[in-house]
Amino acid sequence: MYIRKRKGRYTVSIRHVGFKSINKTFAHLSDGRSWGRQVEVQLEQKRYKDISNASKTTLKSVLERHLAERMRVARAPKKERARFNTICKSKIINRFLSDLTPSNFADYRDKRIEDGAAAATVIRELSFMSVAIHKAIKIYNCWIPEHPIKNSIRPKEAAPRNRRLENGEYDRLKEYCKGAPKFKKPSPYWCDAIDFTIESALRLNEQLSLRWKQISFDTMTMKIEAK
């Protein structure tokens, strides 16, 4: 172990056969010596894990890589991009992986909820970051001692709604769509869209991704492709 002082800070360097030089800088000499002894013991016992990549890799760079992969396979790529853009508004993305702690993500959760985000939205954002960090640890060679996003950090999601149209709501909905002031002119096509949604029970993304080849007018059936 070699310690060098420069500009009031202490850089600890450790060299061991089979490993590249391991370096870390500290404000206090005692902290540097303590860290150095721990690393030397881990090296001798073959338990040492190199965090050098994680110490120079930001959360944003990991999220960008994860987003690029998700955009190729996601059913709703625009939502993936929007989720990424929302996370990027937080200062947490500038932190290095090795510096991330559970409290950082707890603070992120609290700030998002304080800003009015729904619990389900925050859960999806945390999951997006969690998967990206997991990939960084397992695939991108950015090892860190523990995953910083714990299950206990995720907010409790509200019970799912089981909403059905009540008496009179269907007729009022149709009348609104025919002449609602939010539309520049009456839109009777919305009525057909509503009826199609109710009768088919398809999700919105399933409706928007329908192709003519999935529809058979001979058998009056429709084939929904699983993704």
Side-chain angles (χ1 to χ4, degrees):
M1 179 171 59
Y2 172 74
I3 301 177
R4 178 167 56 93
K5 183 179 180 180
R6 183 182 180 187
K7 296 182 179 180
R9 296 177 66 83
Y10 301 88
T11 298
V12 181
S13 300
I14 300 175
R15 293 179 175 83
H16 192 276
V17 177
F19 288 86
K20 62 182 180 180
S21 179
I22 304 168
N23 306 284
K24 191 171 183 179
T25 301
F26 298 86
H28 303 287
L29 178 60
S30 59
D31 292 338
R33 285 175 173 167
S34 176
W35 174 82
R37 286 193 292 267
Q38 291 178 13
V39 171
E40 287 181 329
V41 170
Q42 291 173 354
L43 287 168
E44 290 294 336
Q45 297 178 352
K46 297 182 180 180
R47 294 187 296 107
Y48 176 73
K49 295 288 187 178
D50 187 4
I51 65 169
S52 58
N53 283 342
S55 64
K56 58 187 179 184
T57 302
T58 63
L59 176 60
K60 183 177 182 180
S61 66
V62 171
L63 294 180
E64 288 174 336
R65 187 168 180 176
H66 176 53
L67 175 66
E69 295 173 356
R70 287 292 302 154
M71 293 293 280
R72 293 195 292 266
V73 299
R75 298 196 313 188
K78 289 184 178 179
K79 289 185 178 181
E80 299 286 343
R81 170 68 68 177
R83 189 169 296 126
F84 169 79
N85 290 339
T86 297
I87 296 172
C88 284
K89 295 177 182 178
S90 171
K91 294 180 179 180
I92 194 174
I93 64 167
N94 296 319
R95 298 184 71 90
F96 294 110
L97 293 186
S98 59
D99 297 333
L100 290 171
T101 64
S103 64
N104 296 143
F105 293 97
D107 291 341
Y108 176 89
R109 173 203 62 200
D110 295 342
K111 181 64 168 61
R112 290 288 289 130
I113 292 177
E114 181 182 325
D115 290 342
T121 300
V122 179
I123 289 174
R124 293 187 184 95
E125 292 169 3
L126 288 171
S127 295
F128 185 89
M129 290 187 282
S130 179
V131 173
I133 293 172
H134 181 77
K135 284 183 178 179
I137 296 172
K138 299 295 184 180
I139 303 174
Y140 308 155
N141 196 29
C142 292
W143 188 87
I144 51 179
E146 63 176 354
H147 198 301
I149 302 181
K150 309 296 183 183
N151 287 332
S152 58
I153 292 175
R154 291 175 169 81
K156 186 176 181 181
E157 192 171 3
R161 293 178 297 175
N162 184 16
R163 182 70 165 86
R164 295 179 181 273
L165 290 174
E166 298 179 358
N167 291 336
E169 286 187 331
Y170 174 78
D171 294 331
R172 292 199 301 272
L173 180 61
K174 298 292 284 291
E175 287 299 319
Y176 181 87
C177 289
K178 289 177 181 178
K182 68 177 292 187
F183 301 116
K184 293 183 179 180
K185 56 184 178 179
S187 303
Y189 299 110
W190 279 103
C191 298
D192 294 332
I194 292 170
D195 288 338
F196 178 75
T197 301
I198 293 174
E199 295 297 330
S200 67
L202 293 178
R203 297 183 177 89
L204 178 61
N205 67 302
E206 292 173 334
Q207 296 178 50
L208 297 179
S209 61
L210 273 176
R211 298 292 181 268
W212 286 113
K213 65 180 181 179
Q214 297 171 240
I215 301 172
S216 171
F217 290 103
D218 294 332
T219 61
M220 298 300 289
T221 58
M222 181 170 51
K223 181 179 179 181
I224 305 302
E225 299 178 351
K227 295 184 179 180

